[in-house]
């Protein structure tokens, strides 16, 4: 059984120090490694100089950091394009940090040819000599930014930095590795019954933690120094031939522990739970990729207690590395989806409405659901406003949902019954875990069927309060709410998925009211969002007008003016 994060027997030695052989974008100071964006190999140059009276338009999409500059030296004469930033002939004219949005940069050369003017700051300009040839250059510092030339007749030169890929006839560029040179590792391995405690802290920017931080974790039985050439390449952690933990939440922060158990199981414990992976290794090196993160190795732990992890003969045979796309993980995700839907039938009684769910349901969809989606959507808004149930004509009864869930459950049960070999082979303990979950779901579905009426789970007064307030003001809210800042805050606190955040953000640009409808529906359904928390989200996103409507006694004009 994995230890809690608080249980530790620190061992004071150098086992907590990071290796100095790390990526160039990581600063190592003993037991602390800190991300620092310094190099990226992300330099591109437009293939021809911009003449007087001409204008060049660039568009940026995605998230990351980029700089636009002008160069008065012919790029063909520069041996290493990555050394451009050290040249006196380079002038940075625009710097942009872009987060989930589209931006543009318009660079214009004056009629006389002596000034370079950007749309971002028309009141100032960069002066060049009249006869100078001027090339526009972009340095993508980090992120998944896509840069595109929108002015016809211009392309990016094939002479680029080492981390650039060009597409669309060389008019489009981005980084091969969005977070390059950011891999680090602890210099000494941990052995069986040993663990390392780490503290993860997002780097502050303007006094606040960045929303775009992330961390990736991998392990290696051999010393990573033999795999990395961090001073010469721009690779990220995915390019290393090591064991990756793709299931680990990249937005994790605070304290984590990495432990190698007595039977060779790697256990990573965080505030999100514990992740296990069988390796049968006697020792492992801990490897990380940082993005806007400071990582501190707090202590090394040695478990001196007698082992309670004696492996059974089955465990000894089954000790393999389970890939993230194995049959076990696929089946587990499907069972989680089925159980969620089964419990939703219980919670929402006869008016359970899969069409209102924000996520996709894996498996077959009943004909009744397909045929009635449009009818359900037409009545869903009315039901939310008036708090009335759907009419029987359009209602999806629990029996239909139960039948569909039973079919999905049967599919999973048949799949795991076929004990495949090779990479899809699952251990006996994993097989038993899935079988137990299937029995639990069958019990839930059986209770729904036998009672004739699904068991009702009463909401707390706080949940009723947020639902009542939103229903009462539904019509005005779909017109007033600014969805984008709310989506960012909800995603940062794990209340919505990344797909929902992206999808509704794009929908808001073209169909504002429909995006707000979907957002309100999600908030009403989420049990983790109560009225106080929703109020804090509105306040943090500076939507005072909405607050005044929902809480007039607290945010009305008279109160605000007092």
């Amino acid at each position: 059984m994995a230890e809690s994060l608080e249980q530790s027997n620190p061992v004071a030695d150098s086992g907590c120090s990071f290796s100095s052989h790390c990526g160039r974008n990581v600063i190592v100071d003993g037991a602390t490694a800190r991300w620092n964006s310094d190099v990226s190999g992300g330099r591109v140059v437009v293939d021809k100089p911009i003449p007087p009276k001409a204008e060049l338009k660039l568009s940026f999409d995605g998230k990351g950091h980029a700089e636009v500059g002008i160069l008065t030296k012919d790029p063909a004469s520069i041996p290493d394009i990555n050394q451009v930033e050290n040249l006196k002939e380079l002038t940075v004219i625009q710097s942009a940090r872009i987060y989930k949005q589209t931006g543009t940069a318009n660079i214009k050369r004056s009629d006389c040819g002596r000034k370079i003017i950007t749309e971002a700051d028309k009141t100032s300009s960069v002066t060049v000599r009249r006869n100078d040839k001027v090339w526009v250059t972009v340095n993508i510092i980090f992120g998944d930014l896509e840069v595109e030339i929108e002015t016809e007749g211009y392309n990016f030169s094939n002479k680029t930095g080492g981390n650039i890929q060009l597409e669309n006839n060389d008019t489009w560029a981005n980084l091969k590795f969005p977070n390059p040179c950011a891999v680090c590792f602890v210099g000494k391995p941990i052995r069986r019954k040993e663990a390392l405690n780490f503290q993860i802290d997002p780097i502050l920017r303007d006094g606040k933690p960045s929303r775009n931080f992330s961390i990736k974790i991998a392990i290696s039985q051999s010393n990573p120094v033999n795999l990395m050439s961090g001073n010469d390449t721009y690779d990220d952690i995915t390019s290393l031939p090591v064991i990756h933990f793709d299931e680990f939440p990249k937005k994790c922060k605070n304290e984590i522990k990495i432990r190698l158990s007595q039977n060779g199981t790697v256990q990573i414990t965080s505030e999100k739970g514990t992740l296990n992976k069988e390796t049968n290794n006697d020792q492992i090196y801990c490897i990380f990729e940082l993005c806007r993160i400071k990582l501190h190795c707090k202590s090394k732990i040695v478990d001196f207690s007698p082992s309670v992890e004696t492996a059974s003969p089955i465990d000894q045979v089954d000790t393999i590395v389970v890939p993230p796309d194995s049959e076990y993980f696929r089946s587990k995700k499907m069972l989680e989806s089925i159980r969620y839907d089964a419990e939703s039938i219980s919670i929402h009684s006869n008016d359970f409405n899969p069409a209102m769910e924000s996520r996709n349901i894996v498996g077959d969809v009943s004909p009744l659901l397909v045929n009635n989606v449009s009818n359900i959507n037409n009545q869903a808004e009315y039901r939310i406003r008036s708090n009335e149930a759907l009419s029987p004509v359009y209602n999806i009864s629990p029996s239909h949902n139960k039948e569909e869930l039973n079919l999905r459950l049967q599919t999973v049960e048949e799949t795991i019954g076929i004990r495949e070999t090779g990479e899809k082979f699952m251990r006996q303990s994993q097989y038993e875990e899935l079988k137990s979950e299937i029995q639990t779901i069958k019990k839930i579905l059986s209770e729904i069927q036998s009672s004739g009426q699904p068991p009702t789970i009463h909401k707390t007064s706080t949940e009723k309060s947020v639902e009542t307030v939103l229903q009462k003001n539904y019509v005005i809210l779909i017109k007033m709410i600014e969805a984008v800042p709310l989506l960012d805050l909800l995603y940062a606190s794990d209340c919505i998925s990344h797909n929902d955040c992206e999808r509704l953000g794009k929908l808001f640009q073209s169909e504002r009211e429909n995006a707000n409808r979907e957002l309100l529906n999600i908030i009403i359904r989420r049990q983790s969002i109560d009225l106080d928390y929703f109020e804090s989200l509105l306040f943090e996103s500076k939507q005072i007008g909405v607050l005044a409507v929902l809480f007039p006694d607290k945010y009305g004009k008279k109160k605000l003016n007092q």
Side-chain angles (χ1 to χ4, degrees):
M1 183 175 179
E3 298 174 346
S4 66
L5 293 180
E6 290 76 15
Q7 294 174 332
S8 63
N9 296 310
V11 176
D13 65 3
S14 59
C16 290
S17 297
F18 286 93
S19 170
S20 60
H21 196 96
C22 60
R24 288 173 290 172
N25 286 342
V26 177
I27 299 174
V28 168
D29 183 11
T32 301
R34 186 182 189 277
W35 177 83
N36 177 56
S37 182
D38 183 36
V39 296
S40 70
R43 173 76 63 181
V44 287
V45 182
V46 177
D47 63 348
K48 63 182 68 173
I50 180 171
K53 301 182 181 181
E55 183 174 352
L56 179 67
K57 183 177 181 179
L58 303 172
S59 65
F60 298 81
D61 186 56
K63 56 182 182 291
H65 186 192
E67 292 178 343
V68 180
I70 57 171
L71 185 65
T72 55
K73 183 175 182 177
D74 189 345
S77 66
I78 303 174
D80 184 359
I81 204 70
N82 289 319
Q83 299 302 316
V84 164
E85 51 260 38
N86 300 323
L87 300 178
K88 63 180 181 180
E89 291 88 354
L90 172 70
T91 302
V92 176
I93 59 176
Q94 198 168 349
S95 179
R97 294 181 183 270
I98 299 175
Y99 182 72
K100 294 182 181 179
Q101 60 185 8
T102 300
T104 59
N106 290 315
I107 301 100
K108 182 178 180 180
R109 191 167 185 179
S110 64
D111 293 353
C112 66
R114 292 180 57 85
K115 293 183 178 181
I116 304 295
I117 305 168
T118 63
E119 187 180 72
D121 190 0
K122 295 181 180 179
T123 60
S124 63
S125 59
V126 176
T127 301
V128 296
R129 289 179 295 187
R130 188 189 306 272
N131 297 325
D132 277 348
K133 290 185 177 181
V134 178
W135 286 263
V136 174
T137 177
V138 179
N139 185 27
I140 307 176
I141 300 173
F142 64 85
D144 61 3
L145 279 179
E146 300 171 357
V147 185
E148 184 175 8
I149 299 176
E150 296 195 4
T151 304
E152 291 186 4
Y154 292 91
N155 299 303
F156 287 120
S157 168
N158 288 323
K159 190 169 186 178
T160 67
N163 190 25
I164 281 288
Q165 57 185 359
L166 301 177
E167 293 184 15
N168 196 23
N169 297 321
D170 296 339
T171 62
W172 179 96
N174 75 337
L175 295 180
K176 295 178 183 177
F177 301 107
N179 186 35
C181 308
V183 177
C184 60
F185 64 95
V186 177
K188 291 188 177 181
I190 57 173
R191 294 174 173 81
R192 295 193 179 193
K193 300 181 70 175
E194 294 182 350
L196 291 175
N197 269 352
F198 296 90
Q199 176 68 30
I200 304 174
D201 293 308
I203 293 174
L204 299 181
R205 180 168 173 260
D206 298 329
K208 297 180 180 179
S210 169
R211 293 178 296 179
N212 199 26
F213 71 89
S214 66
I215 184 170
K216 296 180 182 179
I217 298 178
I219 59 168
S220 172
Q221 184 174 11
S222 60
N223 194 331
V225 75
N226 301 321
L227 306 174
M228 293 178 58
S229 53
N231 292 328
D232 302 316
T233 67
Y234 299 97
D235 294 351
D236 61 11
I237 199 170
T238 60
S239 61
L240 299 179
V242 293
I243 299 174
H244 299 275
F245 284 78
D246 296 328
E247 310 92 337
F248 185 78
K250 297 179 178 62
K251 291 288 183 181
C252 184
K253 56 183 178 180
N254 299 324
E255 192 173 355
I256 65 169
K257 180 169 73 174
I258 302 178
R259 178 176 182 263
L260 185 61
S261 71
Q262 175 64 32
N263 62 4
T265 299
V266 178
Q267 300 170 331
I268 303 181
T269 303
S270 69
E271 58 187 13
K272 303 288 186 180
T274 299
L275 183 64
N276 297 312
K277 183 166 289 192
E278 305 290 340
T279 66
N280 202 28
N281 290 338
D282 293 324
Q283 67 173 32
I284 59 169
Y285 287 83
C286 300
I287 310 170
F288 306 89
E289 178 183 300
L290 312 181
C291 181
R292 297 179 175 179
I293 284 284
K294 181 178 73 172
L295 181 64
H296 178 65
C297 188
K298 298 173 63 177
S299 60
K300 183 177 181 180
I301 303 166
V302 179
D303 183 5
F304 295 106
S305 61
S307 173
V308 294
E309 299 177 290
T310 304
S312 65
I314 292 179
D315 287 332
Q316 292 173 352
V317 173
D318 282 338
T319 303
I320 60 171
V321 176
V322 182
D325 60 342
S326 67
E327 198 62 61
Y328 165 72
F329 283 106
R330 280 197 295 269
S331 299
K332 186 174 182 179
K333 288 181 180 179
M334 291 182 70
L335 289 176
E336 288 174 353
S337 173
I338 296 170
R339 180 166 183 168
Y340 180 95
D341 293 340
E343 291 175 343
S344 295
I345 297 176
S346 298
I347 292 172
H348 297 294
S349 187
N350 284 336
D351 64 347
F352 172 68
N353 187 354
M356 298 293 291
E357 288 297 304
S358 61
R359 57 185 175 79
N360 294 325
I361 297 177
V362 180
D364 297 331
V365 181
S366 67
L368 178 64
L369 174 59
V370 175
N371 294 334
N372 287 328
V373 163
S374 60
N375 294 329
I376 292 169
N377 286 334
N378 291 336
Q379 292 207 9
E381 179 181 333
Y382 174 78
R383 180 170 62 85
I384 292 174
R385 293 183 190 175
S386 62
N387 201 25
E388 293 179 8
L390 295 176
S391 65
V393 176
Y394 304 119
N395 186 36
I396 299 179
S397 67
S399 61
H400 284 289
N401 282 292
K402 179 178 60 58
E403 291 173 3
E404 185 247 330
L405 294 180
N406 274 324
L407 287 174
R408 288 161 56 192
L409 190 62
Q410 182 180 352
T411 301
V412 177
E413 192 170 18
E414 291 174 352
T415 300
I416 69 171
I418 304 173
R419 300 301 305 276
E420 298 181 79
T421 58
E423 290 185 348
K424 295 183 179 179
F425 186 84
M426 68 179 70
R427 295 185 297 110
Q428 181 68 24
S429 59
Q430 295 171 335
Y431 176 78
E432 295 298 334
E433 177 190 342
L434 295 179
K435 291 292 290 184
S436 175
E437 179 67 5
I438 288 173
Q439 294 304 316
T440 301
I441 296 173
K442 283 183 176 180
K443 183 178 180 181
I444 295 174
L445 294 174
S446 175
E447 290 175 353
I448 294 173
Q449 182 181 26
S450 61
S451 65
Q453 181 74 9
T456 302
I457 299 177
H458 297 286
K459 295 183 177 181
T460 65
S461 59
T462 304
E463 291 169 334
K464 286 184 178 179
S465 179
V466 69
E467 185 173 351
T468 301
V469 170
L470 295 187
Q471 288 173 352
K472 180 180 178 181
N473 300 280
Y474 191 85
V475 175
I476 192 170
L477 287 177
I478 61 176
K479 298 180 182 297
M480 289 186 65
I481 281 182
E482 291 290 331
V484 174
L486 277 179
L487 290 169
D488 290 342
L489 293 171
L490 288 168
Y491 173 64
S493 55
D494 287 335
C495 290
I496 61 172
S497 68
H498 182 265
N499 287 338
D500 279 343
C501 184
E502 292 281 352
R503 179 177 60 82
L504 292 181
K506 291 180 180 178
L507 182 63
F508 184 81
Q509 303 302 322
S510 57
E511 299 179 48
R512 176 192 179 105
E513 292 187 9
N514 285 336
N516 284 341
R517 284 189 183 94
E518 287 202 42
L519 177 58
L520 289 174
N521 295 341
I522 290 175
I523 292 172
I524 289 173
R525 290 199 309 272
R526 290 290 189 271
Q527 296 183 7
S528 59
I529 304 177
D530 59 23
L531 190 59
D532 291 338
Y533 182 57
F534 184 57
E535 179 185 355
S536 69
L537 293 177
L538 291 172
F539 188 84
E540 190 172 351
S541 59
K542 300 179 181 179
Q543 302 196 47
I544 305 301
V546 178
L547 287 168
V549 171
L550 299 182
F551 311 97
D553 294 337
K554 189 173 181 180
Y555 297 95
K557 290 184 177 180
K558 292 183 179 180
K559 292 289 183 181
L560 292 174
N561 293 332
Q562 288 178 356

